[in-house]
Amino acid sequence: MGEKKQIVLSAIQPSGSMTLGNYLGAIKNWVAMQEEYFCFYALADLHTITVRQNPQEMRKNILDMYALLLACGVDPDKSVFFIQSHVTTHAQLAWLLNCYTQFGELSRMTQFKDKSKKHADNINAGLFTYPSLMAADILLYQADKVPVGADQMQHLELTRNIANRFNGLYGNVFKIPEGFVPKDGARVMSLQTPTSKMSKSDTNINGCVYVLDKPEVIIKKFKRAITDNDAEVRFDIENKPGISNLMTIYSAVTGLNTEQIEKEFAGKGYGDFKASVGEAVIEHLRPVQEKYQQIIKDRAYMEETWKKADAFAQNFSQRTLDKAMKKIGYIK
Ligand code: TYM
């Protein structure tokens, strides 16, 4: 007791709806970590415009995602749950960090390469420098831990490199953060192409399950999931990526381990297994969906909640920004 809590920071983009991958890979951990850590959670709405957005849809997505995270269990009495674009320090520090981040480093980012292929008509500078903004998000809060899915670990490594470089020049300005990926669900794969991650940009709509999908849609997507021909529920990512992915999902929502799952479905067909995974996901998401329906109707509550959090985040992060600027040579 009396010890200072470690600091956690994480963020999610409000681009489209939350996927089961987001939920199992990151958000479940956000909720669990609130008990032990001092947590800052953000809607990364500045990151969102690296891909062109429709203004009306964007406003709706921001509100929906804010409500959904509250419904998932992000608790404003325990955590600081703010909106990135409302806190001015993020864009400011991102600019500074851009000047301490190398072209070569950014060129190696897998997400940049993937997104440039997907949006070949709009490879903008923001898409390229996206990781410096993410580094700013993290470093502003002197975060010890950053809960993310496995796909964000490369950005986290870059954040550590930028912070080390800056500290090497100016002394201890930034805490060096550690990534924190979950045991189950770090990499939830597409139900249709189980060798690529589940993502809203999946070309096949049956590949991606959304937290707000209706039960009948969820069950349909799981029943259509791609598997293999040897009719055995066994974990083997290399040779059985589809079944292994379904096992990972089942494990994350039931708490059962691989052996227990293999035993439960020994001698049963894939049809039974896929339906059971679908049902388990539906049951797991039911309370979240119900809570979301209540919260989304209460705009006043949401606004009050983010305003309090935005002000706290602004004040807290300003200290780090001021320190970094002073070290670089700016005058007040
Ligand atoms: P985003 O919005 O794409 O995803 C939010 C979180 O969900 C995780 N995730 C997954 N985990 C497992 N399996 C999947 N299929 C899957 N898809 C997504 C992501 O790893 C992430 O943790 N750049 C970030 C947002 C961000 C951020 C930050 C994160 C901005 N600033 C600072 C941490 C710290 C992103 O685009 O995540």
Side-chain angles (χ1 to χ4, degrees):
M1 289 296 280
E3 252 178 59
K4 248 175 106 182
K5 283 185 174 176
Q6 283 202 323
I7 295 176
V8 158
L9 177 127
S10 200
I12 182 169
Q13 290 196 62
S15 49
S17 196
M18 186 192 294
T19 69
L20 188 64
N22 295 141
Y23 179 72
L24 298 179
I27 309 307
K28 264 185 85 187
N29 257 343
W30 290 21
V31 174
M33 290 177 100
Q34 297 180 115
E35 308 305 324
E36 210 182 314
Y37 298 91
F38 193 93
C39 301
F40 290 91
Y41 294 131
L43 281 200
D45 58 345
L46 293 174
H47 280 102
T48 300
I49 64 162
T50 52
V51 173
R52 197 70 71 231
Q53 302 292 323
N54 167 301
Q56 246 168 336
E57 270 172 31
M58 178 158 153
R59 275 187 284 272
K60 181 176 183 307
N61 286 340
I62 292 171
L63 288 171
D64 280 354
M65 190 64 94
Y66 199 86
L68 185 51
L69 282 158
L70 290 172
C72 286
V74 172
D75 181 346
D77 291 328
K78 292 183 186 151
S79 302
V80 183
F81 177 31
F82 65 98
I83 298 183
Q84 185 192 33
S85 65
H86 296 179
V87 180
T88 57
T89 47
H90 291 249
Q92 289 173 292
L93 184 63
W95 169 254
L96 303 180
L97 295 183
N98 267 334
C99 304
Y100 298 83
T101 307
Q102 298 303 308
F103 180 87
E105 288 176 309
L106 292 171
S107 312
R108 284 193 290 277
M109 294 294 114
T110 318
Q111 185 174 302
F112 171 68
K113 291 190 224 165
D114 288 350
K115 288 205 174 171
S116 326
K117 264 189 224 141
K118 266 185 203 140
H119 305 279
D121 56 338
N122 183 22
I123 307 178
N124 60 73
L127 191 66
F128 188 61
T129 62
Y130 176 117
S132 337
L133 176 58
M134 180 161 159
D137 298 340
I138 297 168
L139 300 177
L140 277 170
Y141 298 89
Q142 306 290 349
D144 295 281
K145 291 210 165 70
V146 183
V148 283
D151 64 309
Q152 292 299 321
M153 278 309 274
Q154 197 187 24
H155 290 159
L156 207 81
E157 268 315 306
L158 178 59
T159 300
R160 290 161 59 91
N161 290 342
I162 298 170
N164 275 318
R165 182 172 303 137
F166 198 95
N167 286 354
L169 289 166
Y170 303 112
N172 264 349
V173 177
F174 300 124
K175 172 73 77 50
I176 309 299
E178 264 175 51
F180 186 89
V181 294
K183 250 189 334 10
D184 295 302
R187 209 185 284 275
V188 177
M189 310 309 270
S190 159
L191 299 187
Q192 290 297 315
T193 330
T195 44
S196 31
K197 78 166 180 180
M198 181 180 282
S199 145
K200 35 205 153 212
S201 53
D202 203 319
T203 44
N204 185 328
I205 52 160
N206 290 315
C208 183
V209 175
Y210 294 98
V211 172
L212 291 178
D213 272 347
K214 294 206 164 69
E216 57 273 23
V217 174
I218 296 179
I219 201 79
K220 193 181 78 192
K221 288 180 179 173
F222 277 100
K223 283 188 173 162
R224 292 188 181 168
I226 296 292
T227 51
D228 52 57
N229 292 326
D230 64 28
E232 186 189 2
V233 176
R234 179 168 52 81
F235 195 83
D236 176 352
I237 289 194
E238 203 123 294
N239 300 307
K240 297 164 72 68
I243 287 293
S244 303
N245 185 39
L246 292 173
M247 289 178 78
T248 302
I249 293 171
Y250 195 60
S251 172
V253 297
T254 59
L256 296 172
N257 65 29
T258 307
E259 274 167 36
Q260 290 168 319
I261 300 171
E262 285 174 354
K263 227 187 210 163
E264 183 179 343
F265 294 97
K268 295 191 184 147
Y270 283 170
D272 278 353
F273 177 54
K274 291 200 275 191
S276 297
V277 181
E279 291 298 341
V281 168
I282 290 168
E283 285 319 309
H284 193 85
L285 296 180
R286 195 185 301 281
V288 173
Q289 296 192 347
E290 285 170 4
K291 199 134 182 245
Y292 163 83
Q293 293 302 345
Q294 293 166 6
I295 296 171
I296 194 65
K297 290 190 199 109
D298 196 348
R299 169 81 185 252
Y301 165 71
M302 287 202 284
E303 221 165 282
E304 186 192 328
T305 305
W306 76 56
K307 277 190 181 154
K308 230 164 60 190
D310 296 343
F312 190 95
Q314 180 77 43
N315 196 19
F316 191 100
S317 58
Q318 192 70 50
R319 279 181 269 168
T320 305
L321 179 67
D322 287 350
K323 193 170 171 189
M325 291 185 77
K326 189 168 169 204
K327 293 280 188 183
I328 291 171
Y330 288 99
I331 53 169
K332 266 271 188 197

